[in-house]
Structure formats: C-alpha cells, structure tokens
Amino acid sequence: MSVLPALRVPEELSARIPAEQRGSGRDDVRLLVSRGTSVTHHAFRELPGQLRAGDVLVVNTSATLPAAVSGRLGPDPGGERIVVHFSTRGDDGRWAVELRTPRRDSGAGTTLPRAGGPAGAVVRLPGGEHLVLDEPLAPGGSRLWWARVSCADVPALLGRHGRPIRYGYTERDQPLSAYQTVFARPSPDGAGSAEMPSAGRPFTARLVAELKSRGVRFAPVTLHTGVASAEAHEPPYPERFEVPRSTALLVNAVAADGGRIIAVGTTAVRALESAAGPDGVVRAASGWTDLVITPRRGVRVVDGLLTGLHEPEASHLLMLAAIAGQAALTRGYEEALSGRYLWHEFGDVHLLLPAETVHGSRC
C-alpha cells in the first residue's frame, strides 16, 4: 500500500547523472528541510546551519560493490544473455542473486526484470566461473534466489568482472567511485553493499570537517544493503549489520542528555533501531536484521533522518512516516514536487527533523 497514493513523480525529475557532472561538486544538490509540517529550501552546503552542536549523525560505512556481472544462462556458449546482481552472502557461503535481462539499447549498464529460476539452472560467469540456482530466497518468491558460486572469493570476482548496478533512469554508466560515499570503509572479508547507501553521497570531506567544527558528532554503523526491488517495491529482506560499542555509548549518552540522533539514510536507521531494546537503549550488536520499520512499530532511538527522495510505492516511505509522521511526509513531498527537486541516488536530499517551538525545543 502506498504511503503517498496521490503522488506522481514526472520522469524528468529523475537525476540522470551525478551532481558533480551537472554542477560544481557532490554537495551541489538541494536540501529540503522538514520540521514537522514546516518546510524550508536550502543548498546542501547549508546543512551545518540546519543542525545543532551536540547533534549526532549516524552514518553507514558500508562500501559499494561492483555487484553487476554479465553472464550466459545454460551450459552452451550461445545461451541467453543475463546480468547477475549479487545481493547478499549467506552464512552457508551461498549468495542471494537477482537475474536481469540486459537492455540492448543502453550500453553495458541497465537491465529489465525477469523471473529467477528454475532450481538447478546454471549461469556461466566470466573467468570460467559459474553459479547454480538453488531455491528462492523467500518461499514463493521469484526475484531473489540463493545460488552456489564456483568461485570461493566472490568479492574478488566482482572486483575483476563486475560493475555498479545501474537503473534505467540514469543516462550512462559510471565508475564505481561515483557510487562510494565519503564514509565508506573496506570490510576485512570484502563484504559490502549491492547498492550505494546514497543518503551519504552528497557529503564531502570539507563538509564533514565543517560539521565537526560546529560540534556535530558522527557515529558509524554498518549495514550491507541488498539489491532493491526497483519495480516491485518489496519490503527489505534481511541484511547484515553491525553497531559498534562506541556508537552505542555515544548515542545513549546524547539521547539521555536530550540531544538529537539523526540517521543519514534508511540503512542507518535500520541498523541502529535493530540494536535498540524496547527501553530505547542501544547495545553493540551484529549479525542479520529483518526489521521493517512502519508507523505501527515506530522508532525507539532516531529523532531525524537525512534521506533521498523515494518513489511513491517505495516501502522506505513507511519508515519516513514512522519518524516524521504522515502529515509532515505528505507536506514535504508536495514541496519537493512543486520545487522540482530531483529523485533517486544522484538527486536531492530531504532532512526530516522534529517540529520545534518558537524557542527551538522539541515538542
């Protein structure tokens, strides 16, 4: 069910290239700020002026993998052309994968949806490797399948033959560097995100330094994102996450002192809320999370969110409504549409904060 059923986003509002290729830098995007139902418009470089000393920005340090690999279906050299999106590594060594049909008119990058399967199907990969489909990730599902990969070191395979996952609204292929955030850190086991934690993309080292100089603190978490359901807008699947002890201690101390915890991206919300108990206390945690945040479930820790603009059918909007409320979310998206903001991972961003009184205290 759509959170914003009346919203229609024109195709021309899709950001087709990174900000630095259409402007002066990564931070050359617009910033929509919602404080309750009050909305203001800014440049992203004005973010420090929208935050307070003592605020904590929770950021996802997961690096983006070149998770799209071309292959052929079946044992014969002339088999059907396939693009494999590698999503998530399971505890048993298998990988959740999505099979896509390459578009012939789009260069290397964009694809069309197709059903996965059948069980036992073989996909030949570059370098003499292959994978075998085992079973759907979810019972009755058809998009993501568990697969056994002949190569033990799949991240190395992706590094040699993969490219970033690209969707049809983008104009051309981009290097992997265009999909890394300033917060990304390599994982010791080569794990990472199938798709960029894009809310952190507009940040630059200079802006991070300015925020720190103004007393804004940063708290790292890790959540390795799987392959989104770009067409079906399914709820998120289980994903790997880690909330370190240092982050838990900082968040708890600031929250106890009445400070604001602001997540950079829905992935940071999912990780942090997965480590929070019913009492709202965050504890160091790692493993898998299947948490889906809805208005009914609510949030226990997060006060605000910096995020991109999501399509009306996206399940992420349930999380935004849980944090900001339906009225604030509706008002913000109406303003984004009328202001011609740009959508998707290379687009503009939305800062959702609690409503304030005249004196600046939270309601």
Side-chain angles (χ1 to χ4, degrees):
M1 179 179 176
S2 175
V3 177
L4 301 172
L7 187 71
R8 297 292 179 269
V9 181
E11 187 177 341
E12 63 267 21
L13 294 187
S14 295
R16 302 192 181 281
I17 57 175
E20 61 271 24
Q21 296 176 20
R22 62 178 189 261
S24 60
R26 278 186 173 228
D27 56 357
D28 195 4
V29 298
R30 299 169 70 190
L31 173 66
L32 182 76
V33 179
S34 294
R35 290 180 173 86
T37 55
S38 174
V39 177
T40 54
H41 303 269
H42 308 269
F44 185 73
R45 295 187 182 105
E46 298 171 22
L47 176 65
Q50 304 304 311
L51 301 177
R52 304 174 186 157
D55 283 344
V56 173
L57 291 180
V58 182
V59 298
N60 187 359
T61 63
S62 180
T64 307
L65 299 175
V69 178
S70 296
R72 294 274 186 174
L73 188 62
D76 300 325
E80 177 189 348
R81 293 171 65 235
I82 289 290
V83 174
V84 181
H85 288 175
F86 284 82
S87 182
T88 308
R89 183 185 183 276
D91 291 334
D92 59 2
R94 296 185 301 174
W95 278 76
V97 301
E98 178 188 33
L99 302 189
R100 307 275 296 187
T101 298
R103 290 181 56 175
R104 299 182 184 275
D105 58 348
S106 64
T110 62
T111 58
L112 298 170
R114 72 182 300 282
V122 176
V123 177
R124 291 185 298 108
L125 302 170
E129 305 293 347
H130 68 276
L131 63 80
V132 180
L133 299 179
D134 271 354
E135 59 183 344
L137 181 66
S142 62
R143 186 175 68 90
L144 289 172
W145 280 65
W146 286 116
R148 290 176 284 113
V149 187
S150 62
C151 175
D153 190 352
V154 171
L157 173 70
L158 300 181
R160 291 191 300 270
H161 303 290
R163 58 186 179 273
I165 290 174
R166 176 187 156 202
Y167 290 112
Y169 49 78
T170 56
E171 185 175 293
R172 55 180 177 269
D173 294 344
Q174 298 289 342
L176 182 61
S177 59
Y179 292 87
Q180 301 291 10
T181 75
V182 72
F183 306 113
R185 297 292 181 269
S187 176
D189 62 357
S193 288
E195 298 181 355
M196 172 177 55
S198 55
R201 190 182 193 280
F203 285 86
T204 63
R206 177 180 296 181
L207 184 62
V208 169
E210 182 181 351
L211 286 162
K212 288 181 176 179
S213 73
R214 291 183 177 225
V216 175
R217 288 178 279 186
F218 288 80
V221 298
T222 300
L223 186 136
H224 298 312
T225 66
V227 176
S229 92
E231 293 85 17
H233 301 291
E234 303 158 356
Y237 285 91
E239 294 168 316
R240 290 182 180 273
F241 82 104
E242 180 181 7
V243 175
R245 182 171 182 271
S246 58
T247 288
L249 291 173
L250 175 59
V251 166
N252 290 334
V254 169
D257 198 37
R260 299 187 302 184
I261 309 303
I262 301 168
V264 177
T266 58
T267 60
V269 177
R270 194 182 201 199
L272 193 63
E273 292 286 330
S274 295
D279 56 359
V281 175
V282 178
R283 297 168 178 84
S286 63
W288 291 87
T289 177
D290 59 1
L291 177 64
V292 178
I293 296 174
T294 65
R296 181 182 178 87
R297 189 270 184 188
V299 288
R300 297 169 177 170
V301 183
V302 172
D303 299 299
L305 172 64
L306 179 73
T307 183
L309 292 164
H310 304 279
E311 293 181 346
E313 302 87 357
S315 60
H316 290 313
L317 290 178
L318 291 169
M319 179 188 292
L320 272 62
I323 294 170
Q326 182 68 48
L329 184 61
T330 300
R331 169 75 170 147
Y333 270 70
E334 288 171 349
E335 286 284 318
L337 274 178
S338 63
R340 308 289 291 175
Y341 278 67
L342 296 180
W343 258 250
H344 302 303
E345 68 267 28
F346 296 141
D348 299 316
V349 286
H350 188 190
L351 177 61
L352 296 135
L353 294 172
E356 295 183 343
T357 66
V358 174
H359 300 290
S361 61
R362 280 187 288 174
C363 296

